[in-house]
């Protein structure tokens, strides 16, 4: 018997010929997080699933099981996983495995069900028979604290019987989706607000590696405002694994715009510069898109007219707005689940409210915006930002 975690994936399986590559990326992402967590564990692909074991054979579940569960629960691409044991596929060994798993996780549940799958169909009992027998065994050993509940059990103990091995573990749900990196990269424009972290997260669960880019107005705004964004990036890092955060100083450009352009258009003009920097830097770093947290009509400035005026600044990369049709409450709920909500709530100054116009334009016309941009040298401002930005690997 060997302590083991088992990982199953869903969307990946749909990818046909690409399957091998997707599995490889998922293995790499899990291995990376395990390494960062300094767990002495080993990840490998085995018979259509991924297993995580300890090469030395020493016991580890007690010590690292919970840390590993946290990692697996937050890794896109994992549909179902569990921490348990690997045994020989014979009945006595499987029974020992079930007892070991129940003992290890005993304080976490009262009700349970057993769900067996036989990958090896020549195995000499049906899945239902095995479920029933193993259920009876658990009751016999732990009947004073545990009971069977087939619908909505506290835990499902999963037994998988393959030709040469069997796994027994407590089933947990992952966040599904695609492994980060399998769809390529995109620059994700990250403010300190609620929306953009959710947008970056949603794209990450569709396999996009977000290159986070934040524009700050330091020292006009505080150092704490940047630290807040770094903290948000840290939370996204627990999902994405290794992450890039680019900090871009916008203040000089903002000053230039304030001096030369119509007050009403300031915010749209800042955004257009952000888009240009994102596009330029993104192309140099192999990004295929730009992600923003805009949602149509959420605030007076996010009208279709303004969205068009901002997007007009981007020459080639597509702009993804995963929140465009979402209700604010839905976005806030997602932010709570992801763990960024309470950080976004911190009341530090927003870059775009520096030199905020009294009445920002709500229906910017591209013609006016282009006219305003003639009064300063956007190319020079973008070049200056590209020269002075800082890249952090998290
Ligand atoms: P958020 O909650 O993400 O701040 P919001 O509803 O406040 O969004 P805006 O402030 O209008 O909306 O910003 C729209 C989008 O522009 C943001 O979701 C983000 O993608 C991008 N953005 C805004 N400010 C910044 C910034 N300082 N740095 C990087 N991106 C930004
Ligand atoms: Mg904002």
């Amino acid at each position: 018997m060997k302590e083991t975690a088992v990982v199953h994936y869903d969307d990946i399986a749909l990818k046909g010929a690409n399957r091998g590559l997707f599995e490889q990326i998922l293995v790499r992402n899990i291995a990376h997080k395990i390494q960062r967590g300094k767990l002495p564990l080993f990840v490998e692909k085995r018979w259509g699933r991924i297993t995580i074991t300890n090469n030395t054979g020493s016991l580890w579940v007690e010590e690292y099981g919970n840390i590993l569960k946290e990692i697996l629960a937050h890794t896109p691409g994992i549909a179902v996983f569990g921490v348990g044991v690997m045994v020989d596929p014979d009945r006595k060994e499987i029974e020992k495995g079930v007892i070991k798993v129940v003992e290890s996780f005993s304080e976490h549940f009262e009700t349970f069900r057993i769900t067996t799958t036989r990958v090896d169909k020549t195995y000499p009992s049906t899945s239902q028979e095995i479920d029933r027998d193993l259920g009876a065994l658990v009751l016999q050993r732990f009947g004073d604290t545990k009971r069977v509940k087939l619908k909505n059990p506290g835990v499902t103990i999963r037994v998988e019987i393959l030709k040469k091995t069997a796994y027994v573990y407590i089933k947990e749900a992952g966040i599904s989706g695609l492994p980060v990196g399998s769809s390529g990269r995109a620059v994700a424009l990250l403010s300190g607000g609620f929306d953009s972290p959710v947008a970056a997260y949603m794209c990450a669960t569709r396999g996009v590696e977000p290159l986070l880019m934040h524009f700050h107005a330091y020292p006009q705004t505080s150092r704490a405002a940047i630290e807040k964004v770094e903290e948000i990036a840290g939370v996204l890092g627990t999902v994405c694994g290794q992450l890039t955060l680019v900090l871009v100083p916008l203040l000089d450009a903002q000053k230039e715009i304030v001096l030369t352009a119509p007050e009403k258009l300031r915010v749209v003009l800042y955004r257009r510069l952000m888009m240009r920097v994102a596009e330029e830097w993104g192309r140099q770093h192999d990004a295929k898109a730009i992600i923003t947290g805009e949602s149509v009509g959420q605030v007076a400035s996010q009208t279709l007219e303004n969205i068009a005026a901002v997007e007009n600044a981007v020459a080639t990369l597509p702009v993804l707005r995963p929140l465009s049709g979402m209700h604010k409450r839905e976005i806030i709920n997602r932010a709570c689940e992801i763990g960024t909500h309470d950080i976004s709530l911190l009341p530090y100054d927003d870059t775009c409210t520096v030199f905020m116009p009294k009445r920002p334009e709500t229906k910017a016309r591209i013609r006016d915006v282009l006219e305003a941009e003639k009064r300063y040298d956007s190319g020079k401002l973008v070049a200056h930002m590209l020269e002075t930005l800082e890249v952090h690997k998290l």
Side-chain angles (χ1 to χ4, degrees), residues 110-113 135-136 139 146-150:
E110 276 174 25
T111 60
F112 73 98
R113 69 167 291 160
L139 289 178
K146 311 280 173 241
R147 63 197 163 80
V148 173
K149 191 163 173 254
L150 295 181

Side-chain angles (χ1 to χ4, degrees), residues 188-197 199 213-216 250 267 271 274 291-295 298-299 301-302 323 328 350-352:
L189 293 180
L190 187 71
S191 68
F194 292 110
D195 303 337
S196 42
M213 182 174 276
H214 174 68
F215 291 82
H216 63 81
L250 186 67
V267 177
R271 288 286 155 73
M274 290 185 192
I291 302 164
T292 80
E294 287 156 312
S295 165
Q298 187 193 87
V299 287
S301 60
Q302 285 176 19
L323 312 186
K328 187 76 184 184
D350 186 280
T351 313
C352 290

Side-chain angles (χ1 to χ4, degrees), residues 178-366:
L178 297 169
V180 175
S182 62
S183 305
R185 301 166 144 183
V187 177
L189 293 180
L190 187 71
S191 68
F194 292 110
D195 303 337
S196 42
V198 176
Y201 175 93
M202 286 172 74
C203 290
T205 64
R206 297 314 302 162
V208 179
E209 181 195 345
L211 305 170
L212 304 176
M213 182 174 276
H214 174 68
F215 291 82
H216 63 81
Y218 182 80
Q220 188 76 29
T221 53
S222 62
R223 182 70 222 164
I226 296 177
E227 282 161 8
K228 171 181 172 179
V229 171
E230 287 170 340
E231 211 180 321
I232 290 173
V235 173
L236 293 172
T238 61
V239 173
C240 300
Q242 197 182 42
L243 206 53
T244 303
L245 172 64
V246 186
L247 296 175
V248 191
L250 186 67
L251 188 59
D252 289 347
Q254 288 177 296
K255 285 180 178 161
E256 179 96 14
I257 288 172
V258 167
L259 284 179
T260 55
E263 186 180 328
K264 274 171 88 98
L265 288 178
R266 278 177 198 166
V267 177
V268 171
L269 296 171
Y270 301 162
R271 288 286 155 73
R272 284 172 63 89
L273 285 178
M274 290 185 192
M275 284 293 187
R276 292 206 176 102
V277 173
E279 161 131 349
E280 276 289 317
W281 189 85
R283 298 183 133 289
Q284 292 164 13
H285 295 84
D286 209 19
K288 296 185 197 143
I290 297 171
I291 302 164
T292 80
E294 287 156 312
S295 165
V296 178
Q298 187 193 87
V299 287
S301 60
Q302 285 176 19
T303 58
L304 288 179
E305 285 82 355
N306 281 14
I307 287 176
V310 171
E311 176 145 346
N312 172 270
V314 190
T316 52
L317 292 181
V319 181
L320 308 181
R321 298 183 178 83
L323 312 186
S324 48
M326 278 169 82
H327 194 288
K328 187 76 184 184
R329 201 164 38 232
E330 225 179 315
I331 299 171
I332 297 276
N333 288 346
R334 291 302 296 271
C336 291
E337 284 164 24
I338 298 165
T340 53
H341 174 272
D342 291 359
I343 311 169
S344 293
L345 203 57
L346 298 171
Y348 300 119
D349 286 340
D350 186 280
T351 313
C352 290
T353 57
V354 171
F355 319 122
M356 187 71 174
K358 279 189 223 63
R359 276 203 205 85
E361 182 58 81
T362 57
K363 292 199 169 178
R365 290 192 305 184
I366 290 176

Side-chain angles (χ1 to χ4, degrees), residues 156-196:
T156 296
I157 300 169
R158 216 162 140 165
V159 179
E160 292 175 25
I161 305 174
L162 285 71
K163 268 224 168 349
K164 293 192 178 141
T165 189
Y167 299 107
V168 182
Y169 57 88
I170 293 190
K171 180 183 159 191
E172 314 253 1
I175 49 179
S176 288
L178 297 169
V180 175
S182 62
S183 305
R185 301 166 144 183
V187 177
L189 293 180
L190 187 71
S191 68
F194 292 110
D195 303 337
S196 42

